[in-house]
Amino acid sequence: VDLYLLHAPFCTKERLDQYRALVELWERGLCRSIGVSNYASRHLEEIRAAGLPMPAANQIELHPFHAQGALRAYMRDHGILPIAYSPLLPLPDWRSGRPTGKASRGSTLPGDDLPFARIAAGYGRSEAQLLLRWALQAGCPVVPKSARPGRIRENLAIFDFEISAGDMAALDALDRGVALAWQSGDPASAP
């Protein structure tokens, strides 16, 4: 196993024991790296305060509406790699037709005059490619999901262009601090 992640910081009483189990797997050589998902700075601080090795990675919801700048700074300072999930969530057709109810939340937030299509067109790219590239330029590897060969190819075609500083700033200005991927609420808000 290359990277073994704890999915969310639930189970407050067991959280450190769960992480200790990952550390044991890593120390025994049963996985190359260990990490967490959806951990806020306070959850990562629990690990540090317990004297445990810090995770190699923290998989977090990341898109222009939820850029998580303070968390990413904390992770940078502690050598934790952020891995972005749900990077396409702000797009109105994200997971359209799926019974998750998530698609409409990205497109109905206040300020619907979003610049994604306009900025993407300036690079001859799709909105999805723009958002994936934004995450990469923000220093976050991205985990896009698709079963469609055409979309997989499109998702990979993001390494031959760069978003300008001005366009990055315009996308960064969309940060609303809003997690949208979870109908049950942001797991990073767990105590």
Side-chain angles (χ1 to χ4, degrees):
V1 175
D2 286 326
L3 177 61
Y4 200 135
L5 297 176
L6 289 178
H7 187 60
F10 299 132
C11 304
T12 305
K13 292 180 182 179
E14 294 89 13
R15 188 165 42 231
L16 281 175
D17 287 337
Q18 292 169 348
Y19 190 75
R20 282 185 184 97
L22 285 188
V23 171
E24 182 180 332
L25 292 173
W26 175 66
E27 288 174 342
R28 291 175 51 200
L30 297 174
C31 56
R32 288 185 186 182
S33 298
I34 56 174
V36 295
S37 186
N38 301 299
Y39 274 50
S41 299
R42 70 184 169 284
H43 305 123
L44 296 168
E45 218 19 62
E46 284 177 2
I47 293 169
R48 192 186 66 73
L52 296 168
M54 293 300 272
N58 185 10
Q59 188 179 38
I60 58 173
E61 179 179 342
L62 186 82
H63 46 75
F65 292 165
H66 197 47
Q68 304 209 56
L71 176 58
R72 288 189 295 129
Y74 177 94
M75 291 191 297
R76 182 178 50 250
D77 291 346
H78 291 88
I80 302 168
L81 178 69
I83 301 173
Y85 72 79
S86 296
L88 306 181
L89 199 140
L91 301 180
D93 62 349
W94 185 80
R95 287 196 176 179
S96 59
R98 304 290 280 300
T100 63
K102 298 175 185 177
S104 63
R105 288 187 286 163
S107 62
T108 59
L109 290 173
D112 281 333
D113 186 21
L114 301 174
F116 303 132
R118 177 184 52 76
I119 294 173
Y123 297 98
R125 303 298 172 138
S126 70
E127 291 173 287
Q129 288 173 312
L130 176 76
L131 292 177
L132 294 172
R133 183 65 200 187
W134 171 85
L136 283 179
Q137 281 186 225
C140 300
V142 183
V143 181
K145 177 184 170 189
S146 183
R148 298 179 186 159
R151 280 216 177 134
I152 293 169
R153 283 189 293 278
E154 180 181 313
N155 290 345
L156 287 170
I158 60 170
F159 298 101
D160 60 349
F161 78 104
E162 187 170 312
I163 301 171
S164 72
D167 286 339
M168 284 294 287
L171 294 170
D172 291 343
L174 297 173
D175 188 9
R176 299 165 180 174
V178 177
L180 300 169
W182 295 79
Q183 286 181 314
S184 59
D186 185 5
S189 64

